[in-house]
Amino acid sequence: MLGLGTLAKKVFGSPNDRKVKAVRPLVARINALEAEYAALSDEGLIGKTREFQKRVQQDGESLEKILPEAFANCREAAKRALGLRAFDVQLMGGIFLHQGNIAEMRTGEGKTLVAAFPSYLNALTGRGVHVVTVNDYLAKRDADTIGKVHTRLGLTTGVVYPWQPDTEKRAAYAADVTYATNNELGFDYLRDNMKGSIDEMMQRGHYYAIVDEVDSILVDEARTPLIISGPAQDRSELYVSIDKLIPHLGADDFTLDEKQRNVTFTEAGNDHIEALLSEAGILPEGQHLFAPESTTIVHHINQALRAHQMFFRDQHYIVRDGEIVLIDEFTGRMMKGRRLSDGLHQAIEAKEGVAIQPENVTMASVTFQNYFRLYEKLAGMTGTAATEAEEFMQIYGLGVVEIPTNRPVARKDEHDQVYRTAREKFDGIVVSIKEAHGRGQPMLVGTTSIEKSEALSEMLKKEGIPHNVLNARQHEQEAKIVADAGRFGAVTIATNMAGRGTDIQLGGNIEMQVMEALAADPAADPVALRARIEAEHADEKAKVLEAGGLFVLATERHESRRIDNQLRGRSGRQGDPGRSAFFLSLEDDLMRIFGSDRLDRILSTLGMKEGEAIVHPWVNKSLEKAQAKVEGRNFDVRKSLLRFDDVMNDQRKAIFSQRLEILKAEHVSEIATDMRHHVIDDMVDEFMPPKTYPDAWNLEGLRDAGRQRLNMDMPVTEWAAEEGVDQAAMAERIIENSDRYMAEKTEAFGETTMLQIEKQVLLQAIDAKWREHLLRLEHLRSVIHFRQYAQRDPLNEYKTEAFQLFESMLESLRLQVTEQLSRIRPLTKEEQETMMAQMLAQQQAQTGLQAAELPAPAPQPEAPAAQLAGFNEADPATWGNPGRNDPCPCGSGEKFKHCHGKLA
């Protein structure tokens, strides 16, 4: 008997079916225009783009109205540029992307081409479209491929990559469609908000983004925020000396919680480590481990313990060229340049005995969730999103639509095979590989770590089975290994990365084979060479199809069903035959940590003999429940991270928008004046509290504060003795005097110079205060969870205290800007001459030239120049953070790059 839900689906169709059905008439309209657009010349296609741009930008026509014509134009351009005619399901995918959904499309359904349609349509607005990929190789490859389509349509395409020259990067962001990785986009957003002028900024807004492999970017990587940091105090010695103590700890000294990924000292462990620290002289005599002054040491021992017990070589990181390189736990890729924060990376460096890089302090940070929520419209593509549909809707407001496949899926997904021990499982895997290899069936064997991929490789070598290994160590040969993975008899062992974004084509990849043949023999005739390779490929593909297509064999289930589905999806593309199977053991991490008692009972009921596998649908169901539990827990972690980050995000937006306003403003003197007036009001309230009598006023304190904060010595005692002078009158008198003082200063500098000074001081103060604030928030967040013990909600506590910290930061910002502007003064001619002499002497010392060989100093302008308050010739830390084209903080009047910037 059918359940009510199943019966309702049979009658009404699922919500997904209804969505797909709703866009079919739109696809029919696009198809009806095909002949008309096929008749256009190449210039005609570009002409249509110009017509659409005018209709959208000038006539205000909606993109929805123009969609059928734009898609028909784009399909024709793709046909001419790439020789590919988009299928109806690809047009469907494009429509759902334009509507701001996630299009779930199976591997091999041509997602790269799908992105061309909505990116073209939305680029007609002239506001720029970002297409986001998971790595630089895919960003360049897709920009090159789809760039040919956009060029045929008269649009420009740019690609953004790390260490790109500024002019090139600015041009890439100015293009109609920009391809980039999520990391580079996030970092450029942070860098832009640290720039000294509008001209130096790269991004021109956040209008529409299409995220490829959206589950990987918005879910898997969303737990780690992007951080731009600068070096802090060097504590290498402390890391090394603490690391030496950790191996002396016993199993009773700490508790390991693999579910929560946490490790903590027991009471006995605290006593033991305290004794070890005292013995080693790290903890001063008579000082307890939990005394307030031991906070840093406690932090370090906790991180050292985590480094030893939670992070393992060749699983979480590899050591390459004397450096610790992290490995992405979901994709198996190396994350070069990415470092763990809070001293954890340094603890791992100490454990592995490599050079310890100095710890960093956060200068700017953002999570991927909050970065991608900046876009007015967001869309995504992936082969696997349905399991995380709730998260996409809750956090990003994105619906998930499953797009039907172009041809029916012919892959056979077998039930999981469960063994008792890992050894029995791997023996079973080798037998299965031998059988398939004997038939010539290509195999992709998925493993969860480098260590396991290399162990399996050793087993296959003993059996004499030729194979390729694809993991973070072979990252550079990835495209080549994946291109050959579908050849007759090929065996490829891969970590989770499994060459995402690159199709495994049965019989091998023709393009790659042609490129290799031409590289080996550059004199060969390309046409004849291609014809020969295509003929050989057709024969090989026929043999592979006969052997059963690609066989994906997974050696373990992952925490997430999505990663399993990605691995399965490598096989059976575009209706090809294929097969997938999962081999598991009771010793696998997922089974050991999350496998339910029910699973144990099922297995003992079914009876397990040594070397024999249990294959049963019950086992699959039980495992899926365990995975769903883990996914739910990970979602809660990300939700919690986001709730906390939302507090900082509101503050980040406020600071960044204020900063942008200052950069764009012609005149910032109003902001500086408001700040000064605010400081004066606070100062009067502090020393002449409201609603108090004159005998409670601290006029001497007010006079000192005036000297310190406004650089003015005012006769406040005499003013207070005058008839009718109260707090308001005193504040008014001080404001009047300070306004006159600053007006005189502006006159001495000249209005233009003073405006530059004010802008520079404001930006430098905002950046410095924001950095300090981020550090305070980090510290607050690391301890706020202890409030749970007092029955208080950590999130509410964090919101309240973060707001108070933000208010005090703004107060301190106003004070710093006021003090700096009050103290800045024009240099006298003598001071300028002295400074020039010092600079010349410094240049001589650095270059080893004699004074006679140096060029004569340039004549100094008569106009006085401003020196930054607190500037010290010998200490670059006091020079502030000037842009290369800003005036030098020394007050020479030169641009920074020609003055101290050159010396630095």
Side-chain angles (χ1 to χ4, degrees), residues 204-402:
R204 56 184 178 123
H206 300 88
Y207 165 56
Y208 177 52
I210 300 170
V211 184
D212 193 8
E213 307 293 7
V214 66
D215 52 320
S216 175
I217 291 171
L218 295 192
V219 174
D220 297 338
E221 295 199 26
R223 281 190 278 181
T224 318
L226 288 176
I227 293 172
I228 288 183
S229 50
Q233 184 186 350
D234 184 14
R235 295 204 190 104
S236 312
E237 283 307 310
L238 187 57
Y239 285 109
V240 174
S241 42
I242 284 178
D243 183 76
K244 286 175 185 162
L245 306 180
I246 302 298
H248 295 294
L249 297 172
D252 300 337
D253 289 333
F254 55 84
T255 51
L256 193 63
D257 182 350
E258 289 187 82
K259 271 192 189 183
Q260 300 298 331
R261 293 205 56 157
N262 202 6
V263 60
T264 47
F265 281 99
T266 59
E267 235 174 286
N270 280 327
D271 293 341
H272 189 182
I273 194 74
E274 188 173 63
L276 290 170
L277 288 163
S278 298
E279 225 174 278
I282 298 168
L283 201 61
E285 208 176 318
Q287 188 174 308
H288 293 297
L289 188 58
F290 290 99
E293 51 271 33
S294 305
T295 313
T296 304
I297 295 171
V298 172
H299 172 74
H300 279 64
I301 58 169
N302 284 330
Q303 296 299 50
L305 187 63
R306 283 184 70 199
H308 277 264
Q309 298 300 327
M310 305 289 315
F311 289 83
F312 303 108
R313 188 169 178 162
D314 289 348
Q315 184 179 341
H316 300 107
Y317 62 88
I318 59 174
V319 179
R320 192 177 235 204
D321 303 329
E323 260 184 67
I324 301 292
V325 182
L326 297 177
I327 292 170
D328 188 317
E329 63 177 309
F330 291 101
T331 63
R333 296 181 189 280
M334 286 191 294
M335 299 193 288
K336 249 195 153 349
R338 191 84 77 87
R339 292 176 67 79
L340 294 163
S341 57
D342 275 351
L344 185 54
H345 209 96
Q346 286 77 5
I348 296 171
E349 285 169 334
K351 167 187 154 187
E352 292 295 346
V354 301
I356 296 174
Q357 309 294 325
E359 211 175 320
N360 287 335
V361 288
T362 303
M363 296 163 85
S365 83
V366 69
T367 56
F368 283 127
Q369 286 113 318
N370 276 322
Y371 173 72
F372 282 108
R373 291 196 306 183
L374 290 171
Y375 286 91
E376 289 172 40
K377 189 161 72 169
L378 188 60
M381 311 181 285
T382 180
T384 45
T387 54
E388 255 80 16
E390 184 198 349
E391 179 165 355
F392 286 124
M393 182 47 77
Q394 270 193 38
I395 291 181
Y396 305 99
L398 288 168
V400 175
V401 186
E402 289 180 63

Side-chain angles (χ1 to χ4, degrees), residues 669-840:
S669 29
E670 245 176 70
I671 300 172
T673 304
D674 277 351
M675 285 183 166
R676 189 173 71 255
H677 290 180
H678 212 112
V679 166
I680 293 169
D681 287 338
D682 288 348
M683 197 168 80
V684 172
D685 282 350
E686 185 185 341
F687 296 101
M688 298 171 68
K691 297 178 184 170
T692 56
Y693 292 109
D695 55 2
W697 295 350
N698 178 0
L699 296 172
E700 202 46 54
L702 181 61
R703 187 174 181 174
D704 288 343
R707 288 193 199 105
Q708 173 63 34
R709 298 172 200 180
L710 304 170
N711 199 26
M712 290 167 62
D713 195 356
M714 297 168 289
V716 290
T717 314
E718 289 83 341
W719 291 346
E722 290 173 21
E723 186 71 33
V725 170
D726 58 3
Q727 289 92 339
M730 181 65 83
E732 209 173 302
R733 184 83 66 93
I734 297 175
I735 284 171
E736 213 176 282
N737 274 269
S738 80
D739 284 352
R740 192 163 47 245
Y741 174 61
M742 291 310 289
E744 286 164 8
K745 195 169 281 206
T746 302
E747 206 177 311
F749 277 120
E751 203 172 330
T752 315
T753 309
M754 193 62 189
L755 284 172
Q756 282 182 321
I757 294 167
E758 284 171 335
K759 194 176 265 199
Q760 200 177 333
V761 166
L762 272 166
L763 290 174
Q764 284 173 8
I766 286 173
D767 292 346
K769 291 295 169 193
W770 179 242
R771 282 199 293 273
E772 285 170 25
H773 182 63
L774 284 178
L775 194 62
R776 283 201 190 98
L777 285 183
E778 264 177 44
H779 290 162
L780 173 65
R781 197 152 147 189
S782 66
V783 297
I784 202 81
H785 62 274
F786 289 124
R787 306 278 172 96
Q788 288 174 15
Y789 299 123
Q791 306 297 309
R792 279 144 72 185
D793 176 19
L795 183 63
N796 286 338
E797 295 281 308
Y798 181 71
K799 280 180 182 170
T800 309
E801 295 201 18
F803 182 68
Q804 288 167 358
L805 284 172
F806 190 68
E807 278 194 316
S808 70
M809 179 200 77
L810 293 179
E811 204 174 299
S812 143
L813 172 70
R814 287 192 287 265
L815 188 59
Q816 184 175 321
V817 169
T818 301
E819 279 187 15
Q820 279 196 314
L821 288 176
S822 301
R823 289 183 183 284
I824 274 175
R825 63 175 179 79
L827 288 177
T828 62
K829 202 145 196 280
E830 292 74 31
E831 284 171 328
Q832 285 188 44
E833 282 166 8
T834 309
M835 187 167 287
M836 280 309 296
Q838 284 173 346
M839 282 168 62
L840 281 172

Side-chain angles (χ1 to χ4, degrees), residues 33 37 51-52 55 65-74:
L33 293 167
Y37 280 81
E51 178 201 318
F52 299 152
R55 280 161 62 184
K65 198 171 172 191
I66 229 163
L67 186 146
E69 297 165 79
F71 273 40
N73 201 31
C74 188

Side-chain angles (χ1 to χ4, degrees), residues 70-71 74-75 78 82 94 97 110-123 131 145-147 149-150 153 155 177 179 210 381:
F71 273 40
C74 188
R75 178 193 258 179
L82 306 173
L97 289 179
K111 291 192 283 287
T112 306
L113 180 59
V114 169
F117 292 89
S119 59
Y120 169 60
L121 175 65
N122 284 271
V131 183
T145 308
I146 302 305
V149 180
H150 289 321
L153 291 162
L155 293 184
V177 181
Y179 281 79
I210 300 170
M381 311 181 285

